[in-house]
Amino acid sequence: MNQATEARSEETLDPQDWEAMRALGHRILDDAMDYLETLRDRPVWEHAPPQVKAHFAGPPPPGPESPDEVYREYLECILPYQLGNSHPRFWGWVAGSGTVMGMFAELLAASTDAVSGAFSYVSNNYVEFQIVDWCKTLLRYPPTATGLLTSGCSASNLIALAVARNALAGFDVRSRGMTNAPQQMTLYCSEEAHSSIQKAVELLGFGDDALRRIPVNESMQIDLAALKAAIKSDRADGFRPVCIVGCAGTTSTAAIDDLNALADICAEEGCWFHVDGACGAWTAIAPKYNHLVAGMERADSLAFDLHKWMYLQYPIGCVLVRNADEHRRAFSLTPTYLAHGEGEHGLTGIDVPWLSDYGFELSRGFHALKAWMTIKEHGTERYGRIIEQNIDQAHYLAGLVTAAPELELALPVSLNIVNFRYVRPGMSDAALDRLNKRIETELQEQGTVVVSTVTLRGRNYLHAGIANHRSRRDDFDLLVREVIRIGDGLA
Ligand SMILES: *Cc1c(COP(=O)(O)O)cnc(C)c1O
């Protein structure tokens, strides 16, 4: 074989025809911009029909397909059947809506196959540290705290509770393991806390039995007297209370626990104070409402998302830990092949700490770029106004519900979530539960709006969680009109 033949036989995944691939890239970007600009004119959600599911069966392709053909399949079988959370009238569960600059940033990060985790003299690290610093400033958290961007609040809760466990176990958990714990440790949260807290507790070896679910008061906040009583009785029974998890915005009702009171109890009891502020933490930047999360800045660790409120593309969350040493001690581990901190130069110099010392993952995507570009594009003041606008919209929707005799509000609005139901005199609660579930499904199938349902005090309610920068007041007028129209038709 001569040299030329040998060179030709080596392959790459780069385009064979760069010009054609460039043209496809331009088309993809134009299509994506058209999609976002005209979102409002399309249904929020479309049911993926059986032939779409069938389309995704079959073996991996042994040979190449044309890039245009692959993209055509995306347009036909994937694009139309999204969750719909970028649409102005999507308020199911609590989901973010994405930004145009965030989309560009994801493309740019992918263009260099950017990785964040290890390495010192890499600009990506400085960007991530700056985003973590901005989060500390905006949430009024101490500047000496350490932090990490994560794939979401589930990961943030897991990291925070791992630090809490290791700091308060009273023995070296990393070397001895949980089976050698001298006392069973216990943790406390309200019964409205998110399932990711339970997952973290299970994964960290506490066992779900160690998670004490404390009842809530009328406003769905943790009952402080019941919490204190539970801690007291656990101590009397030989348990070791280590951590209280406060909620800054629960998933069902956006209830915010009395965070200052929880911080006081943690100080008295020598417990770690963790706050799950997945969505609600960002209330701190809404001028009219920031008092609602007072006390959050006293947490030993704070977990939150930037892909719910803050509206950035999935995935991006963050965890902050007040005590930098404890944070690092929980995760730092340097095998020889990742040795760093020697000298002033090269990829392994010492300018910045390695992010992999602050979490369980080594390689991570460059999540920070979309945050950096989008926050710079809009500024934090506009962000604060839009978060405030979402809370105002929740109050507006609650006002419409209260004014309509066919509708009933589950409880006063505390933040950005409105729970309500269609009611009709003479119908039993069980029948109303079924009816409201059917209204939810009907709305989704029609594609006019998407809301979800939650069970509160045993009853089904429609649930509008508003973390959407595209929603307008008339969208909520439409929601109320449609719920009443569909409810009347079905009842
Ligand atoms: C959504 C949510 C979580 C989990 O966050 P992910 O980003 O979905 O992992 C945790 N806690 C609360 C209160 C949430 O609403």
Side-chain angles (χ1 to χ4, degrees):
M1 220 177 347
N2 67 30
Q3 258 184 0
T5 335
E6 215 171 273
R8 262 204 313 277
S9 71
E10 286 177 310
E11 290 196 286
T12 168
L13 299 177
D14 274 337
Q16 291 191 331
D17 179 346
W18 282 88
E19 276 317 306
M21 200 64 161
R22 181 188 300 267
L24 176 62
H26 283 292
R27 218 181 104 207
I28 287 175
L29 192 57
D30 278 337
D31 289 352
M33 291 299 280
D34 286 345
Y35 176 85
L36 287 168
E37 205 180 347
T38 59
L39 265 180
R40 198 170 262 292
D41 311 328
R42 271 194 308 278
V44 186
W45 179 77
E46 256 180 273
H47 196 142
Q51 59 273 29
V52 164
K53 185 175 173 195
H55 187 87
F56 294 100
E65 292 170 23
S66 98
D68 289 298
E69 181 55 24
V70 175
Y71 179 55
R72 192 196 57 73
E73 267 185 71
Y74 166 82
L75 290 178
E76 200 171 294
C77 299
I78 300 176
L79 178 64
Y81 311 110
Q82 297 296 303
L83 179 62
N85 51 300
S86 53
H87 194 284
R89 288 187 300 276
F90 185 98
W91 309 297
W93 305 273
V94 182
S97 33
T99 66
V100 172
M101 188 61 105
M103 171 179 79
F104 293 165
E106 291 283 66
L107 178 67
L108 293 172
S111 75
T112 61
D113 193 15
V115 53
S116 293
F119 310 117
S120 303
Y121 295 95
V122 176
S123 54
N124 304 2
N125 290 340
Y126 305 129
V127 177
E128 178 153 350
F129 280 108
Q130 185 169 40
I131 293 301
V132 168
D133 281 341
W134 287 355
C135 289
K136 288 187 262 180
T137 306
L138 292 169
L139 303 178
R140 284 175 261 124
Y141 206 67
T144 49
T146 39
L148 186 73
L149 295 182
T150 64
S151 55
C153 206
S154 302
S156 300
N157 282 328
L158 177 62
I159 290 170
L161 293 186
V163 182
R165 181 194 65 173
N166 293 14
L168 288 186
F171 69 101
D172 184 355
V173 180
R174 282 188 66 172
S175 57
R176 296 183 49 211
M178 288 292 272
T179 47
N180 289 309
Q183 264 178 304
Q184 191 182 345
M185 292 179 254
T186 48
L187 303 92
Y188 305 81
C189 63
S190 89
E191 50 191 18
E192 290 289 309
H194 192 263
S195 55
S196 58
I197 298 295
Q198 178 181 335
K199 283 196 185 180
V201 162
E202 290 173 2
L203 284 169
L204 292 166
F206 290 110
D208 183 39
D209 290 348
L211 184 60
R212 311 299 203 218
R213 290 176 181 78
I214 309 298
V216 290
N217 64 19
E218 290 263 277
S219 311
M220 299 299 202
Q221 300 164 303
I222 192 166
D223 180 326
L224 299 170
L227 169 65
K228 285 190 214 167
I231 294 176
K232 192 165 171 213
S233 109
D234 278 340
R235 277 201 206 286
D237 293 340
F239 292 102
R240 184 184 176 90
V242 290
C243 178
I244 298 174
V245 177
C247 299
T250 57
T251 316
S252 293
T253 70
I256 301 168
D257 290 335
D258 183 340
L259 302 175
N260 267 314
L262 292 184
D264 291 342
I265 295 172
C266 283
E268 281 158 31
E269 297 285 350
C271 284
W272 185 275
F273 182 29
H274 174 63
V275 171
D276 177 355
C279 186
W282 290 105
T283 310
I285 66 168
K288 225 163 58 191
Y289 299 105
N290 58 22
H291 61 278
L292 295 173
V293 288
M296 182 172 78
E297 71 289 348
R298 293 171 65 192
D300 293 301
S301 52
L302 176 58
F304 51 96
D305 273 320
L306 291 91
H307 61 212
K308 288 180 178 174
W309 259 351
M310 293 308 274
Y311 317 106
L312 292 171
Q313 268 81 357
Y314 290 87
I316 181 170
C318 183
V319 60
L320 300 176
V321 178
R322 175 179 299 268
N323 185 317
D325 291 335
E326 285 170 347
H327 190 181
R328 195 180 161 79
R329 268 204 298 276
F331 291 105
S332 180
L333 182 64
T334 308
T336 50
Y337 46 83
L338 295 176
H340 57 279
E342 315 256 329
E344 298 277 308
H345 300 285
L347 279 166
T348 56
I350 49 169
D351 179 41
V352 293
W354 279 22
L355 293 158
S356 50
D357 285 334
Y358 296 92
F360 55 85
E361 290 176 301
L362 177 59
S363 312
R364 298 172 310 138
F366 187 15
H367 305 315
L369 186 62
K370 61 193 165 200
W372 189 82
M373 291 183 72
T374 307
I375 292 171
K376 281 177 80 71
E377 184 203 2
H378 296 291
T380 58
E381 288 170 5
R382 178 180 292 159
Y383 257 108
R385 287 195 301 273
I386 296 180
I387 283 172
E388 189 164 285
Q389 173 174 298
N390 281 164
I391 305 173
D392 286 340
Q393 286 165 341
H395 287 285
Y396 176 74
L397 172 57
L400 296 178
V401 166
T402 312
E406 300 90 339
L407 303 179
E408 179 185 270
L409 197 62
L411 72 176
V413 166
S414 64
L415 202 61
N416 62 327
I417 293 178
V418 186
N419 294 298
F420 65 103
R421 61 179 187 164
Y422 179 89
V423 286
R424 172 164 282 217
M427 275 181 86
S428 71
D429 271 330
L432 286 175
D433 283 349
R434 284 194 299 275
L435 177 61
N436 280 280
K437 189 71 199 161
R438 284 186 62 195
I439 294 174
E440 175 207 17
T441 312
E442 195 67 25
L443 288 168
Q444 293 170 359
E445 292 285 345
Q446 281 183 10
T448 354
V449 303
V450 166
V451 292
S452 52
T453 49
V454 289
T455 306
L456 296 173
R457 301 181 184 121
R459 300 268 71 94
N460 268 353
Y461 288 91
L462 299 169
H463 169 100
I466 308 166
N468 192 325
H469 63 89
R470 300 191 172 102
S471 304
R472 301 188 309 226
R473 286 200 174 195
D474 56 348
D475 293 320
F476 300 99
D477 296 334
L478 178 67
L479 166 64
V480 165
R481 272 201 314 275
E482 282 299 287
V483 169
I484 294 173
R485 189 183 64 76
I486 293 169
D488 286 347
L490 290 172

